[in-house]
Amino acid sequence: MKGAFTDNERIFSQHVQNRLLPDHTYSVVSGGDPLCIPELTWEQLKQFHATHYHPSNARFFTYGNFQLEQHLKQIHEEALSKFQKIEPSTTVPAQKPWDEPREFQITCGPDSLAGDPSKQTTVSVSFLLPDITDTYEAFTLNLLSSLLISGPNSPFYKALIESGLGTDFSPDVGYNGYTREAYFSVGLQGIAEKDVQTVRDLVDSTLDEVVRKGFEDDRIEALLHKIEIQMKHQSTSFGLALTSYIASCWNHDGDPVELLQLGNQLARFRHCLKENPKFLQEKVKQYFKNNQHKLTLSMKPDDKYYEKQAKIEAEKLKQKVTSLSLKDKQQIYEKGLELRTQQSKPQDASCLPALCVSDIEPTMPFTELDMDLAAGDTPVQYCAQPTNGMVYFRAFSSLNTLPEELKPYVPLFCSVLTKLGCGTLDYREQAQQIELRTGGMTVSPQVLPDDAHLDTYEQGVLFSSLCLDRNLPDMMHLWSEIFNNPCFEEEEHFKVLVRITAQELANGIPDSGHLYASIRASRTLTPAGDLQETFGGMDQVRLMKRIAEMADITPVLRKLPRIQKHLLNCDNMRCAVNATVQQMSEAEKVVENFIRNLGRSKKERKPVRPHVVEKPAYNGSGGNAHVRGPQVIRKLITEPTFKPCQMKTHFLLPFPVNYVGECVRTVPYTDPDHASLKILARLMTAKFLHTEIREKGGAYGGGAKLSHNGIFTLYSYRDPNSIETLQSFGKAVDWAKAGKFTQQDIDEAKLSVFSTVDAPVAPSDKGMDVFLYGLSDDAKQRHREQLFAVSHNQLMAVSHRYLGTGKSTRAVAILGPENAKIAKDPSWIIR
């Protein structure tokens, strides 16, 4: 929980909930405030568990095509029949409404990555809304919240984000329906303390304006269109998403079936709007303008915040220890030893239902693909799938000709390309058209590892979008305008987007610190590693911080048209379409038309890096029966003289926890040892690292993983230790080399790996491994057979071959507080 509270956004959100709903359950931290956890007694914990974690307080949800009767039988036999029914008394009482608004000020730790140190204050205004079991009112207020805050056409975006006062909306902005009574919050982060009142005034005046003017019809239509897409788009986590959607309302005795009938709620909403055009304005007046249950919360940094927290904690622990007798201390010490013994014992898992490796299908289903050359020479992959009336389009454009000095600006280019306007549309009109005609248009930088060589990779940018089939021509017209006529003139809006991006990157570190540590550690192990750090590592976070601090941003804006020249044409491009069989001929025409209208370079640009390898995307039309059509050639970068090197980096951050990553260069995907290392990573995580790093070491999480790029990573997350964790990584390798695991352990690791390998693939994503990585179904089937064949001897062999000291090049990175041992060690680079 200390790790959770290194995140200033989390601290702020927690206080909003605690102070807006102060009478009951929501006034406390559900996961435990680190300073209150020592007050909890064993009896309290046991009693709480017995009443709350009881079938009488449970809701059972099943989803899928298995027989329901079998589920119900199992629920009865395995759970309900083994307990006596109790009255758990877990109903959350209603919050008493306030007679007048309230306000509070709190503090947090400083943000060393904030763009402007003098602008680190956050303020928000929150309103208590009705009970979430009133499903139609909750549906309406959720829609109203989106109209108020989503996108550059929303009133609060215009009033707050574009005011230049702050960097981004305050945490938890919008409608929150996870508590019994919902609430709505809006405000700004990254402001100067003196601007708190200005932001409050802007919130009030914006609500006044909405009551007066209402919303444009097109914005309401765009929102309803978004709901239609959400209802049609199929994701592999659809069942889980439904569970999450109904859980809160159902837990408070709302009707889950009524909640799922979105079509009825949508029809009722349209009817209300038709009957009363001021329907939404009246809701704003009722729930925001005339609502006395209104909280204003502001938060500012305190340089001594973590020091003060540590002092309070030390004093609390001192009081606790002082009150203990010698006998108490002896008992605690003995219990500690008992716990350590317990943690080191293998657990009896025989009571758990389990699959066998023999239950896994030996072969995988293959995906049929059609390849075509549009406008003469641009490859297009067509994948016919049951997409439920949706069309999914992707394009991949190579970065091979882009000058090296422009590479660090590619992620920024990607994030703003669809947000600055195009053709005759300004950025507001463009946003409106994207919402009305598509389910979103995104652009992202890609570093794609080769499946056979560690020092070879493909670099490019992926353009992705989806739409209802009726809107395909409109969506492709938008892409044409973005490619042929992007707008890079909107300097003020560009500044706004830069501030938001920099703030989001800085805010993401407490949640993703282990990923940043791993990217940094792998930077010097492969040629692709350096580019991954440039695009998505701490280098990118710091670059965006510098850009956000620039008084004159024009030099950066001028780089974007230079990047455009290399990317937004069809010279080195390939496309992919996933749609229904019935939609394919129309899709082919529209995509062909899009490609014909794209620009081409007048003379061929040379790649910046001299070593380019041309590689077939799959093994030829004769070698892969599942792909029909002409061969596609991918142009990869290789660095034959690359020498991996060791490096140890410590990023100093003002957190009380560490994020640790140690990376080892191993083998590519097609090497048989890759399969063994993949099983080994799961084995080490489940049977050694989880116990050592989380249970004994106190970290929030930790483990090992092998990436497609052949980098074996050991990591920990929100970890009170650093050097000790690196020692645990060493012990994990010794454990693996000694072969201290059973056949059952190996089978469990295989089941765990296959749960990822065989995870369902949504119709929208079928064929993407071929499109992006050139990875055919035949290659994946060979890898599958290698996974099945992994043995105890092979696991020990790869542990010795790659993970032993001095065997492979490895590197380490830590994000976290100052460390005296590291500071004294000259082998570490401190950033």
Side-chain angles (χ1 to χ4, degrees):
M1 287 310 293
K2 274 187 186 176
F5 284 108
T6 57
D7 180 350
N8 287 344
E9 290 198 295
R10 170 76 186 264
I11 293 170
F12 191 84
S13 303
Q14 185 67 58
H15 276 276
V16 168
Q17 184 177 300
N18 295 162
R19 291 168 191 272
L20 190 68
L21 296 149
D23 291 0
H24 304 291
T25 309
Y26 305 116
S27 63
V28 295
V29 179
S30 61
D33 183 323
L35 293 176
C36 298
I37 289 171
E39 303 297 331
L40 180 70
T41 66
W42 178 70
E43 286 80 7
Q44 287 170 331
L45 180 63
K46 205 166 169 242
Q47 177 58 27
F48 184 87
H49 183 271
T51 52
H52 289 67
Y53 291 77
H54 190 284
S56 305
N57 193 42
R59 304 283 189 277
F60 292 87
F61 178 100
T62 69
Y63 174 85
N65 57 4
F66 290 157
Q67 287 297 311
L68 178 61
E69 290 78 5
Q70 182 54 39
H71 279 146
L72 296 174
K73 183 170 181 276
Q74 198 167 350
I75 287 168
H76 177 73
E77 288 172 2
E78 303 281 336
L80 300 181
S81 65
K82 296 183 179 178
F83 289 84
Q84 293 294 314
K85 185 169 170 55
I86 61 167
E87 287 303 326
S89 308
T90 52
T91 305
V92 178
Q95 169 64 47
K96 188 169 178 283
W98 297 344
D99 300 328
E100 57 181 14
R102 298 179 187 178
E103 55 187 85
F104 295 94
Q105 289 83 35
I106 59 169
T107 59
C108 63
D111 181 358
S112 58
L113 293 163
D116 183 346
S118 68
K119 295 177 82 173
Q120 287 194 36
T121 296
T122 299
V123 63
S124 81
V125 181
S126 306
F127 301 88
L128 190 68
L129 300 176
D131 198 308
I132 57 171
T133 57
D134 183 344
T135 50
Y136 175 65
E137 200 71 348
F139 176 80
T140 303
L141 288 169
N142 208 343
L143 288 188
L144 180 57
S145 166
S146 293
L147 288 168
L148 287 168
I149 60 159
S150 291
N153 292 300
S154 65
F156 279 119
Y157 189 100
K158 291 176 185 174
L160 296 180
I161 299 292
E162 293 186 347
S163 68
L165 292 169
T167 51
D168 201 353
F169 280 126
S170 51
D172 238 4
V173 65
Y175 179 85
N176 187 314
Y178 293 111
T179 47
R180 178 180 160 170
E181 285 132 314
Y183 56 91
F184 173 88
S185 277
V186 67
L188 275 179
Q189 58 182 309
I191 67 168
E193 199 179 345
K194 65 178 175 58
D195 290 328
V196 166
Q197 189 56 48
T198 311
V199 174
R200 294 175 65 172
D201 294 342
L202 281 171
V203 170
D204 289 341
S205 60
T206 305
L207 291 171
D208 287 337
E209 192 179 347
V210 172
V211 170
R212 218 170 40 251
K213 293 183 178 174
F215 302 99
E216 295 160 25
D217 290 346
D218 258 6
R219 288 211 56 234
I220 296 170
E221 269 316 307
L223 189 58
L224 299 181
H225 168 254
K226 187 178 175 182
I227 292 170
E228 188 181 351
I229 283 185
Q230 283 169 351
M231 287 162 76
K232 281 181 171 281
H233 172 67
Q234 300 169 72
S235 78
T236 54
S237 57
F238 185 72
L240 275 176
L242 287 184
T243 318
S244 170
Y245 178 63
I246 65 169
S248 296
C249 177
W250 193 16
N251 274 336
H252 295 289
D253 298 322
D255 182 345
V257 178
E258 190 180 281
L259 195 63
L260 291 172
Q261 291 167 340
L262 275 176
N264 294 354
Q265 293 174 13
L266 216 49
R268 187 174 164 189
F269 181 77
R270 283 190 182 279
H271 177 74
C272 287
L273 269 180
K274 194 177 172 188
E275 291 287 299
N276 175 11
K278 292 200 167 182
F279 170 64
L280 289 172
Q281 284 145 280
E282 287 170 7
K283 294 289 177 198
V284 173
K285 204 169 180 181
Q286 178 186 355
Y287 291 119
F288 302 126
K289 279 309 297 170
N290 300 336
N291 189 348
Q292 291 301 301
H293 202 114
K294 173 182 174 182
L295 169 77
T296 303
L297 182 70
S298 62
M299 176 175 79
K300 65 177 184 179
D302 175 356
D303 289 339
K304 299 225 169 12
Y305 178 79
Y306 291 118
E307 210 178 292
K308 287 174 183 173
Q309 295 288 104
K311 195 177 172 191
I312 297 168
E313 183 187 322
E315 283 169 5
K316 277 206 165 191
L317 289 175
K318 191 179 171 187
Q319 284 170 8
K320 287 270 176 203
V321 173
T322 311
S323 66
L324 297 171
S325 66
L326 267 176
K327 190 183 169 191
D328 293 334
K329 288 178 184 175
Q330 184 62 30
Q331 191 185 7
I332 289 169
Y333 176 70
E334 284 164 9
K335 286 277 182 196
L337 292 177
E338 201 182 316
L339 174 65
R340 180 54 60 96
T341 309
Q342 200 85 17
Q343 286 172 330
S344 302
K345 269 187 198 164
Q347 293 188 351
D348 177 15
S350 60
C351 62
L352 297 173
L355 291 168
C356 305
V357 173
S358 57
D359 292 326
I360 302 168
E361 290 291 334
T363 57
M364 54 174 277
F366 283 35
T367 303
E368 301 285 334
L369 300 171
D370 288 293
M371 307 302 293
D372 196 8
L373 293 176
D377 58 0
T378 300
V380 185
Q381 172 184 298
Y382 294 100
C383 183
Q385 290 290 325
T387 56
N388 203 16
M390 302 286 297
V391 181
Y392 299 86
F393 171 79
R394 276 96 166 185
F396 181 89
S397 190
S398 171
L399 281 168
N400 286 357
T401 65
L402 187 74
E404 292 292 332
E405 75 270 12
L406 292 175
K407 290 261 177 82
Y409 300 93
V410 168
L412 178 59
F413 175 87
C414 292
S415 96
V416 303
L417 181 61
T418 57
K419 297 172 189 155
L420 286 172
C422 62
T424 58
L425 304 174
D426 67 23
Y427 71 90
R428 291 194 204 282
E429 292 162 340
Q430 182 188 30
Q432 187 80 315
Q433 284 305 306
I434 288 174
E435 286 183 3
L436 273 169
R437 309 289 172 215
T438 81
M441 303 176 81
T442 58
V443 188
S444 58
Q446 301 286 320
V447 183
L448 307 173
D450 181 42
D451 55 14
H453 301 281
L454 290 183
D455 296 333
T456 304
Y457 63 94
E458 189 177 19
Q459 51 178 352
V461 163
L462 180 66
F463 305 84
S464 309
S465 62
L466 63 152
C467 66
L468 299 167
D469 49 22
R470 65 174 185 259
N471 289 328
L472 180 60
D474 292 326
M475 179 173 83
M476 295 316 295
H477 175 69
L478 278 167
W479 276 127
S480 292
E481 291 292 271
I482 287 166
F483 270 70
N484 293 330
N485 306 299
C487 171
F488 299 120
E489 311 299 319
E490 288 273 4
E491 189 172 327
E492 282 311 305
H493 192 56
F494 180 60
K495 280 184 190 167
V496 168
L497 296 174
V498 163
R499 283 197 297 266
I500 290 173
T501 305
Q503 185 70 58
E504 284 174 352
L505 284 174
N507 289 349
I509 290 173
D511 267 344
S512 309
H514 61 308
L515 300 178
Y516 282 108
S518 303
I519 291 170
R520 170 55 66 143
S522 62
R523 177 188 186 173
T524 55
L525 301 182
T526 64
D530 195 43
L531 190 56
Q532 279 166 325
E533 172 67 30
T534 300
F535 282 170
M538 288 299 290
D539 279 0
Q540 183 63 211
V541 177
R542 292 186 159 183
L543 173 69
M544 285 309 303
K545 177 182 186 294
R546 286 200 302 278
I547 296 173
E549 288 168 351
M550 289 167 83
D552 178 14
I553 211 164
T554 319
V556 177
L557 190 56
R558 284 199 190 122
K559 293 181 194 294
L560 304 189
R562 290 176 61 203
I563 297 173
Q564 173 206 344
K565 280 180 193 162
H566 294 268
L567 266 183
L568 302 188
N569 55 56
C570 56
D571 294 346
N572 287 302
M573 182 179 172
R574 58 183 183 267
C575 301
V577 176
N578 285 29
T580 58
V581 176
Q582 298 83 344
Q583 189 61 29
M584 272 308 175
S585 60
E586 169 68 10
E588 283 176 35
K589 281 184 219 154
V590 177
V591 171
E592 170 91 22
N593 193 35
F594 161 71
I595 291 166
R596 275 192 195 288
N597 289 331
L598 285 189
R600 289 171 188 273
S601 301
K602 292 184 177 63
K603 59 175 184 171
E604 192 182 348
R605 288 196 171 96
K606 286 202 165 60
V608 172
R609 299 206 172 188
H611 300 285
V612 173
V613 182
E614 294 200 345
K615 188 173 177 181
Y618 48 90
N619 307 327
S621 46
N624 192 336
H626 315 286
V627 184
R628 293 178 292 268
Q631 184 55 272
V632 176
I633 301 296
R634 296 163 69 225
K635 292 181 177 177
L636 287 80
I637 300 291
T638 188
E639 296 194 20
T641 57
F642 178 80
K643 291 273 188 293
C645 66
Q646 279 191 201
M647 192 172 278
K648 298 198 282 191
T649 313
H650 184 205
F651 283 95
L652 290 177
L653 292 171
F655 300 155
V657 289
N658 297 281
Y659 302 87
V660 185
E662 179 170 356
C663 294
V664 185
R665 178 184 161 105
T666 63
V667 288
Y669 179 82
T670 52
D671 189 303
D673 282 351
H674 190 97
S676 300
L677 286 161
K678 197 181 260 188
I679 303 292
L680 183 67
R682 290 292 172 99
L683 194 58
M684 288 168 76
T685 299
K687 298 298 169 185
F688 191 90
L689 289 166
H690 179 82
T691 304
E692 288 297 312
I693 290 171
R694 182 180 166 113
E695 292 177 5
K696 294 181 186 175
Y700 201 96
K705 62 181 180 189
L706 178 71
S707 303
H708 187 79
N709 62 7
I711 299 295
F712 190 97
T713 303
L714 299 137
Y715 66 92
S716 73
Y717 180 70
R718 293 181 179 167
D719 189 346
N721 305 307
S722 54
I723 300 294
E724 299 80 358
T725 296
L726 291 173
Q727 288 164 354
S728 293
F729 293 164
K731 287 180 195 166
V733 171
D734 292 340
W735 173 86
K737 281 159 63 181
K740 292 181 180 172
F741 40 85
T742 63
Q743 187 56 47
Q744 187 184 337
D745 294 339
I746 298 169
D747 288 348
E748 284 174 15
K750 285 185 181 180
L751 287 165
S752 178
V753 167
F754 273 106
S755 73
T756 305
V757 170
D758 286 349
V761 178
S764 56
D765 293 329
K766 293 269 188 181
M768 279 301 106
D769 281 344
V770 171
F771 177 67
L772 287 175
Y773 300 93
L775 193 59
S776 68
D777 285 345
D778 289 333
K780 288 198 282 189
Q781 178 60 33
R782 280 194 296 277
H783 182 66
R784 183 183 194 82
E785 287 157 16
Q786 288 164 355
L787 288 169
F788 274 118
V790 170
S791 67
H792 195 286
N793 286 346
Q794 285 172 311
L795 291 166
M796 285 178 67
V798 293
S799 307
H800 282 275
R801 197 173 299 140
Y802 303 106
L803 304 184
T805 311
K807 295 292 183 185
S808 300
T809 313
R810 62 183 65 225
V812 177
I814 296 175
L815 275 65
E818 286 186 26
N819 184 303
K821 282 184 189 169
I822 292 175
K824 286 178 193 161
D825 184 342
S827 68
W828 283 86
I829 294 165
I830 297 176
R831 299 289 301 270

